[in-house]
Amino acid sequence: MSKELDKLCINAIRVLSADAIEKAQSGHPGLPLGAATMAFTLWTKMNHNGNNPKWDNRDRFILSAGHGSMLEYSLLHLFGYGITIDDIKNFRQVGSLTAGHPEYGHTKGVEITTGPLGQGICNAVGMAIAEAYLAEKFNRSSYNIVDHYSYAICGDGCLMEGISGEASSLAGTLGLGKLIVLYDSNNISIEGNTDIAFREDVSKRYEGYGWQVLKVEDGNDIDAVSNAIDEAKRDKARPSIIIVKNVIGFGCPAKQGKASAHGEPLGAENVIALKENLGWKLEPSFYVPDEVYKNMDKYIGEGIWKEENWDELFRQYSGDYPELAAEYVKWMSGEINKEALDSEDFWNFEDKPMATRQSSGIMINRLAKIIPNLMGGSADLAPSNKTYMNDGGDFSAEDRSGRNLHFGVREHAMAAIANGMYAHGGLKVFCATFFVFSDYMKGAMRLSALMKLPVTYVLTHDSIGVGEDGPTHQPIEQLAALRSMPNMTVFRPADSKETAAAWYYAITNGETPTSLVLTRQNLPSYKESGKEALKGGYILKDSKKEVPDVLLMASGSEVELIYKAADELSDKGIDARVISIPSFELFDAQDEAYKESVMPNKVRARVAVEALSSFGWHKYVGLDGEVISLDHFGASGNANELFKQYGFTVENVVDKVIHIVNK
């Protein structure tokens, strides 16, 4: 009888999804109808508690195929997460908890924002890495305090996206045995049968990655799905993919198995046909029988019981390992030692020229001592990015205690994995590559910003200063692109102390991801720089006059040019104010009085210098000012020669200023 009730619950998911999408006249019914059995069976076996969606030791569930969001909302409703029938009726409406795609921080129980296909699998890899690292750190004999799985449901589209291959390859290499992906294999995409573009043998691909591959031939066979999940969990040495053969739009006679079931409402007549086919009451819409809720009480009760058992285990653990338990609570709360970050040692550097990538490397190792749960790595560029934590060890299949991650040459997946690590909880996370390759990461970086996940992106080799590697490796438009991204804070520091400010902000702000844009070449150290950089823009060297003749502004390596130019201009009778602007976002966030004190409106003679695209600087220089920039690609050759060739010299800055002041 219980299995019949489970089938009733599964059909409730199908009907709620169809009704919600029909009412909204928008959405994707194919996946919720086809994958309902698979998803419901998984949720009945997971460790989770709708009364406390943030329970530390819950299993993490990610709907990588986020377009099928009504599947997740229906599950959240049935499993007691607080999603009501009224919420489901408001699917895809402004302000609703049931948005078009699952949104992290908006809907309780949604572990991470998904929708861009392939991202969710990578997020799950990140969560599995976090679980493995935390388990190694905190678990003790008889006390598996950290002991949960990361599950993802993906579709054909997720596996077509290259990002999923990057992450899956790394997951196999790392032997993430507590990662389980359920693949909704229905052979249909928006344009038709997947044969038109996707004929590979997924099972062989994942075997090649080092995964356990399991198959379920009938996705509506509850026992087969359940047994496959159990088998996946038994293999602790390899991640598992369960290939489940489902029928898209299952239950709707006119739509099932067809591309038209994917991304459009079924239509009123087809919704009726679906309900008739499932033996469902036709009216009212959104009808769910009482037997469904009574059956769900059992599963909800099991979730509560599982958390209560864990709470008791943690209570005993706290008695036997009080210091470790206190540290666990601190890590999971996100607390950091702010006092150590404010100490003089944190901000102090030798007074010598240094590349900001090197300054950042020093900061990472300082932070590693202050923040024991700092974890991160590079896309096979740690020696160049200066991101290696010297005493941190390497995270691997053989050693889960290492804090340094080796992502391999996988930028896109790396950023998405970092999102998953941070969203899991318990870690402070960074990742790194050359700045020009932020293009590969942009989709995942955008999701960091959207979710307000304070992942730190270390982006080195920031301009034509890369030199001989040439235009393929010399970023031009990337800085403007990141500055244009909402809720992304971008720092391009001019020296070591500004780099310290960038890291300080990245670690403490808690609201935005931060991109640290760093040089390969050495830069001078300025006695005037420091914590003022946290305002985003500040007076590095002031004019003698209360109202300067000209405002000189720059970021990063070009601050050296305006700093030296100010001295030469002084000899020519022009009084300049030197303004360092490491972060547009933070400067723009200051109050009007502060911005006026730095850039007086009455001073219209302004010159900005940055060896990247001019886009964005015009808001500071105005109609009368000028930007010395690079609005074309670079060239291969010695960096110093390139800077001279493209006008990034003190002499050119002085000439531009004289022209502007005298016109």
Side-chain angles (χ1 to χ4, degrees), residues 188-212:
I188 294 292
S189 64
I190 292 175
E191 295 182 356
N193 192 286
T194 52
D195 282 352
I196 61 175
F198 188 59
R199 298 187 184 187
E200 69 194 50
D201 188 330
V202 170
S203 64
K204 288 183 179 177
R205 190 203 331 170
Y206 273 81
E207 285 172 4
Y209 289 148
W211 288 50
Q212 175 182 211

CSV table of all heavy atoms in Angstrom, one decimal, residues 188-212:
chain,number,residue,atom,x,y,z
A,188,ILE,N,15.5,13.8,-25.6
A,188,ILE,CA,14.8,14.9,-26.3
A,188,ILE,C,15.5,16.2,-25.8
A,188,ILE,O,15.7,16.4,-24.6
A,188,ILE,CB,13.3,14.9,-25.9
A,188,ILE,CG1,12.6,13.7,-26.5
A,188,ILE,CG2,12.7,16.2,-26.4
A,188,ILE,CD1,12.6,13.7,-28.0
A,189,SER,N,15.7,17.1,-26.8
A,189,SER,CA,16.1,18.5,-26.5
A,189,SER,C,15.1,19.4,-27.1
A,189,SER,O,14.1,19.0,-27.8
A,189,SER,CB,17.5,18.8,-26.9
A,189,SER,OG,17.6,18.7,-28.3
A,190,ILE,N,15.3,20.7,-27.0
A,190,ILE,CA,14.3,21.7,-27.6
A,190,ILE,C,14.1,21.5,-29.1
A,190,ILE,O,13.0,21.6,-29.6
A,190,ILE,CB,14.8,23.1,-27.3
A,190,ILE,CG1,14.8,23.4,-25.8
A,190,ILE,CG2,13.9,24.2,-28.0
A,190,ILE,CD1,15.3,24.8,-25.4
A,191,GLU,N,15.2,21.2,-29.8
A,191,GLU,CA,15.1,21.1,-31.2
A,191,GLU,C,14.6,19.8,-31.8
A,191,GLU,O,14.4,19.6,-33.0
A,191,GLU,CB,16.4,21.5,-31.9
A,191,GLU,CG,16.8,23.0,-31.6
A,191,GLU,CD,18.1,23.3,-32.3
A,191,GLU,OE1,18.8,22.5,-32.9
A,191,GLU,OE2,18.5,24.5,-32.2
A,192,GLY,N,14.5,18.8,-30.9
A,192,GLY,CA,14.0,17.5,-31.3
A,192,GLY,C,14.8,16.4,-30.6
A,192,GLY,O,15.3,16.5,-29.5
A,193,ASN,N,14.9,15.2,-31.3
A,193,ASN,CA,15.6,14.1,-30.7
A,193,ASN,C,17.1,14.5,-30.6
A,193,ASN,O,17.7,15.1,-31.4
A,193,ASN,CB,15.5,12.9,-31.6
A,193,ASN,CG,16.0,11.6,-31.0
A,193,ASN,OD1,17.2,11.4,-30.8
A,193,ASN,ND2,15.0,10.8,-30.6
A,194,THR,N,17.7,14.0,-29.5
A,194,THR,CA,19.1,14.4,-29.2
A,194,THR,C,20.1,13.8,-30.3
A,194,THR,O,21.2,14.2,-30.4
A,194,THR,CB,19.6,13.9,-27.9
A,194,THR,OG1,19.3,12.5,-27.7
A,194,THR,CG2,18.9,14.7,-26.8
A,195,ASP,N,19.6,12.9,-31.1
A,195,ASP,CA,20.5,12.3,-32.1
A,195,ASP,C,21.0,13.3,-33.1
A,195,ASP,O,22.0,13.1,-33.8
A,195,ASP,CB,19.7,11.2,-32.9
A,195,ASP,CG,19.6,9.9,-32.1
A,195,ASP,OD1,20.3,9.8,-31.1
A,195,ASP,OD2,18.9,9.0,-32.6
A,196,ILE,N,20.3,14.5,-33.2
A,196,ILE,CA,20.7,15.5,-34.2
A,196,ILE,C,22.0,16.1,-33.7
A,196,ILE,O,22.7,16.7,-34.6
A,196,ILE,CB,19.6,16.6,-34.4
A,196,ILE,CG1,19.3,17.3,-33.0
A,196,ILE,CG2,18.3,16.0,-35.0
A,196,ILE,CD1,18.3,18.5,-33.2
A,197,ALA,N,22.4,16.0,-32.4
A,197,ALA,CA,23.6,16.7,-32.0
A,197,ALA,C,24.3,16.0,-30.9
A,197,ALA,O,25.4,16.4,-30.5
A,197,ALA,CB,23.2,18.1,-31.5
A,198,PHE,N,23.8,14.8,-30.4
A,198,PHE,CA,24.4,14.2,-29.2
A,198,PHE,C,24.2,12.7,-29.3
A,198,PHE,O,23.2,12.2,-28.8
A,198,PHE,CB,23.6,14.8,-28.0
A,198,PHE,CG,24.2,14.4,-26.6
A,198,PHE,CD1,25.5,14.8,-26.3
A,198,PHE,CD2,23.4,13.8,-25.7
A,198,PHE,CE1,26.0,14.5,-25.0
A,198,PHE,CE2,23.9,13.5,-24.4
A,198,PHE,CZ,25.2,13.8,-24.1
A,199,ARG,N,25.2,12.0,-29.8
A,199,ARG,CA,25.1,10.6,-30.0
A,199,ARG,C,26.1,9.8,-29.2
A,199,ARG,O,26.2,8.6,-29.4
A,199,ARG,CB,25.2,10.3,-31.5
A,199,ARG,CG,24.2,10.9,-32.4
A,199,ARG,CD,24.3,10.4,-33.8
A,199,ARG,NE,23.3,11.0,-34.7
A,199,ARG,CZ,23.0,10.7,-35.9
A,199,ARG,NH1,23.7,9.7,-36.5
A,199,ARG,NH2,22.1,11.3,-36.6
A,200,GLU,N,26.9,10.5,-28.4
A,200,GLU,CA,28.0,9.8,-27.7
A,200,GLU,C,27.4,8.8,-26.7
A,200,GLU,O,26.3,8.9,-26.2
A,200,GLU,CB,28.9,10.8,-27.0
A,200,GLU,CG,28.2,11.5,-25.8
A,200,GLU,CD,29.0,12.7,-25.4
A,200,GLU,OE1,29.3,13.6,-26.2
A,200,GLU,OE2,29.2,12.9,-24.2
A,201,ASP,N,28.2,7.9,-26.3
A,201,ASP,CA,27.9,6.9,-25.2
A,201,ASP,C,28.3,7.5,-23.9
A,201,ASP,O,29.5,7.5,-23.5
A,201,ASP,CB,28.6,5.6,-25.5
A,201,ASP,CG,28.2,4.5,-24.5
A,201,ASP,OD1,27.8,4.8,-23.4
A,201,ASP,OD2,28.2,3.3,-24.9
A,202,VAL,N,27.3,8.1,-23.2
A,202,VAL,CA,27.6,8.8,-21.9
A,202,VAL,C,28.2,7.8,-20.9
A,202,VAL,O,29.1,8.2,-20.1
A,202,VAL,CB,26.3,9.4,-21.4
A,202,VAL,CG1,26.5,9.9,-19.9
A,202,VAL,CG2,25.9,10.5,-22.3
A,203,SER,N,27.8,6.6,-20.9
A,203,SER,CA,28.3,5.6,-19.9
A,203,SER,C,29.8,5.4,-20.1
A,203,SER,O,30.5,5.3,-19.2
A,203,SER,CB,27.5,4.3,-20.0
A,203,SER,OG,27.7,3.7,-21.3
A,204,LYS,N,30.2,5.3,-21.4
A,204,LYS,CA,31.6,5.1,-21.6
A,204,LYS,C,32.4,6.3,-21.3
A,204,LYS,O,33.6,6.3,-20.8
A,204,LYS,CB,31.9,4.7,-23.1
A,204,LYS,CG,31.4,3.3,-23.5
A,204,LYS,CD,31.7,3.0,-24.9
A,204,LYS,CE,31.3,1.5,-25.2
A,204,LYS,NZ,31.5,1.2,-26.6
A,205,ARG,N,31.8,7.5,-21.5
A,205,ARG,CA,32.5,8.7,-21.2
A,205,ARG,C,32.8,8.8,-19.7
A,205,ARG,O,33.9,9.1,-19.2
A,205,ARG,CB,31.7,10.0,-21.6
A,205,ARG,CG,32.5,11.2,-21.5
A,205,ARG,CD,31.9,12.5,-21.3
A,205,ARG,NE,30.6,12.8,-21.9
A,205,ARG,CZ,30.0,14.0,-21.5
A,205,ARG,NH1,30.5,14.8,-20.7
A,205,ARG,NH2,28.8,14.2,-22.0
A,206,TYR,N,31.7,8.5,-18.9
A,206,TYR,CA,31.9,8.6,-17.5
A,206,TYR,C,32.8,7.4,-16.9
A,206,TYR,O,33.4,7.6,-15.9
A,206,TYR,CB,30.5,8.7,-16.8
A,206,TYR,CG,30.1,10.1,-16.7
A,206,TYR,CD1,29.5,10.8,-17.8
A,206,TYR,CD2,30.3,10.9,-15.6
A,206,TYR,CE1,29.2,12.1,-17.8
A,206,TYR,CE2,30.0,12.2,-15.5
A,206,TYR,CZ,29.4,12.8,-16.6
A,206,TYR,OH,29.1,14.2,-16.6
A,207,GLU,N,32.7,6.3,-17.5
A,207,GLU,CA,33.7,5.3,-17.2
A,207,GLU,C,35.1,5.7,-17.4
A,207,GLU,O,36.0,5.5,-16.5
A,207,GLU,CB,33.4,4.0,-18.0
A,207,GLU,CG,32.2,3.2,-17.5
A,207,GLU,CD,31.9,2.1,-18.5
A,207,GLU,OE1,32.7,1.8,-19.4
A,207,GLU,OE2,30.8,1.4,-18.3
A,208,GLY,N,35.3,6.5,-18.5
A,208,GLY,CA,36.6,7.0,-18.8
A,208,GLY,C,37.1,8.1,-17.7
A,208,GLY,O,38.2,8.2,-17.4
A,209,TYR,N,36.1,8.8,-17.2
A,209,TYR,CA,36.4,9.8,-16.1
A,209,TYR,C,36.7,9.1,-14.8
A,209,TYR,O,37.2,9.8,-13.9
A,209,TYR,CB,35.2,10.7,-15.9
A,209,TYR,CG,34.8,11.7,-17.0
A,209,TYR,CD1,33.5,12.0,-17.2
A,209,TYR,CD2,35.8,12.3,-17.7
A,209,TYR,CE1,33.2,13.0,-18.2
A,209,TYR,CE2,35.5,13.2,-18.7
A,209,TYR,CZ,34.2,13.5,-18.9
A,209,TYR,OH,33.9,14.5,-19.9
A,210,GLY,N,36.4,7.8,-14.7
A,210,GLY,CA,36.7,7.1,-13.4
A,210,GLY,C,35.5,7.1,-12.5
A,210,GLY,O,35.6,6.9,-11.3
A,211,TRP,N,34.3,7.2,-13.1
A,211,TRP,CA,33.0,7.1,-12.3
A,211,TRP,C,32.5,5.7,-12.3
A,211,TRP,O,32.7,4.9,-13.2
A,211,TRP,CB,32.0,8.1,-12.9
A,211,TRP,CG,32.2,9.5,-12.7
A,211,TRP,CD1,33.4,10.2,-13.0
A,211,TRP,CD2,31.3,10.5,-12.2
A,211,TRP,NE1,33.2,11.6,-12.7
A,211,TRP,CE2,31.9,11.8,-12.2
A,211,TRP,CE3,29.9,10.4,-11.8
A,211,TRP,CZ2,31.2,12.9,-11.9
A,211,TRP,CZ3,29.3,11.6,-11.4
A,211,TRP,CH2,29.9,12.8,-11.4
A,212,GLN,N,31.7,5.4,-11.3
A,212,GLN,CA,30.8,4.3,-11.3
A,212,GLN,C,29.6,4.6,-12.2
A,212,GLN,O,29.0,5.7,-12.0
A,212,GLN,CB,30.4,3.9,-9.9
A,212,GLN,CG,29.4,2.7,-9.9
A,212,GLN,CD,28.8,2.3,-8.5
A,212,GLN,OE1,28.5,1.2,-8.3
A,212,GLN,NE2,28.7,3.3,-7.6
